Amino acid sequence: MNDATGPRPVPPQDYYSAQQVMDLLRISKRRLYELAERDDDPLPLRTFPGAKRGSIADRRELRDWVLRNTVLVREREQRG
């Protein structure tokens, strides 16, 4: 995910690779797949039927998911 210089810059684009999603959200590969496999509001990773690699995320779906699954810093104590 990160190297000594921090996360890799990710330019705005329509679709992001799993690695780019990890860099954008600053999460590990393990956390990425935990979020994608949860039952309630999973992280919107997509793949072609039968594929085992090559997950992608649509920018709009990812943005909407982030807004639903995060809180403002000042509200984090209130929501626990």
Side-chain angles (χ1 to χ4, degrees):
M1 169 177 75
N2 297 338
D3 59 18
T5 61
R8 296 173 211 147
V10 179
Q13 52 201 47
D14 290 336
Y15 296 95
Y16 296 106
S17 69
Q19 181 63 56
Q20 289 171 319
V21 173
M22 289 185 290
D23 291 338
L24 284 167
L25 301 181
R26 297 182 178 182
I27 58 175
S28 68
K29 185 175 185 177
R30 184 175 137 257
R31 183 71 175 138
L32 176 86
Y33 287 103
E34 284 175 357
L35 292 169
E37 293 173 4
R38 68 186 194 178
D39 292 330
D40 184 36
D41 200 12
L43 180 71
L45 283 183
R46 297 180 168 277
T47 191
F48 292 101
K52 299 212 187 252
R53 300 181 59 129
S55 298
I56 59 171
D58 177 276
R59 177 178 64 185
R60 293 166 299 172
E61 290 178 343
L62 182 60
R63 179 191 177 277
D64 292 344
W65 181 88
V66 167
L67 291 174
R68 285 192 310 273
N69 287 276
T70 59
V71 296
L72 295 173
V73 170
R74 67 187 178 120
E75 296 174 354
R76 68 181 161 197
E77 295 298 322
Q78 298 166 359
R79 293 181 118 180

